[in-house]
Amino acid sequence: MFKDVKPGHRKTGMTLSMDEMVNEIGGLCEHSGKELPSVKMGKNLDFVRAVTCAIRDGKIHIGQEIFVAAIARNDDADCDAKPVLLIPTCKKGSYRDSALVIEMIRQAWKFSPYGEANLRGI
């Protein structure tokens, strides 16, 4: 959709859609990066202990849903929404958190050679 232009495709506008969906697999919510020094596994159990303590202290949460952002072509051909971002969410964020996610997606779209650059001249 973003790289390989298929025969018959024309340049067209795109729609960004965002919503949450119920998640059967838990994961650390999007706020964990603010509370933990790192979210990388190490060579010992220090990370697991830090996560356990942060969850017990209420500093981070297990995501109950997945936030999904997807982009779809506004055309008759290949108009299925393609996910571009998946984040576990605990639904405790603010409008500022949402604005940062939207800006992150916008910047990625702007700088991708398969994003905004493909829409010039429409």
Side-chain angles (χ1 to χ4, degrees):
M1 174 177 169
F2 305 114
K3 181 178 177 182
D4 300 324
V5 178
K6 297 177 181 172
H9 275 197
R10 59 190 169 101
K11 288 185 179 181
T12 183
M14 306 293 248
T15 297
L16 172 64
S17 302
M18 298 177 289
D19 204 350
E20 291 89 20
M21 58 188 275
V22 175
N23 180 18
E24 295 292 327
I25 301 172
L28 298 180
C29 73
E30 71 269 32
H31 307 107
S32 59
K34 297 174 187 174
E35 296 295 331
L36 297 170
S38 174
V39 292
K40 295 180 181 179
M41 291 295 291
K43 296 180 180 180
N44 54 40
L45 295 177
D46 291 345
F47 171 75
V48 174
R49 287 186 191 104
V51 168
T52 301
C53 289
I55 291 170
R56 286 183 181 156
D57 293 344
K59 293 179 180 176
I60 62 174
H61 310 96
I62 299 296
Q64 301 299 313
E65 294 183 354
I66 295 287
F67 171 81
V68 180
I71 297 177
R73 296 179 74 241
N74 297 331
D75 197 8
D76 294 338
D78 194 25
C79 57
D80 298 331
K82 309 289 194 282
V84 295
L85 179 67
L86 301 167
I87 303 174
T89 180
C90 63
K91 309 273 289 185
K92 300 205 185 292
S94 69
Y95 72 90
R96 286 184 178 97
D97 295 330
S98 297
L100 287 172
V101 168
I102 292 169
E103 180 61 17
M104 180 177 62
I105 294 168
R106 193 187 77 75
Q107 289 293 323
W109 182 253
K110 179 179 179 179
F111 293 117
S112 171
Y114 310 113
E116 185 178 298
N118 280 333
L119 298 178
R120 291 191 185 115
I122 292 179

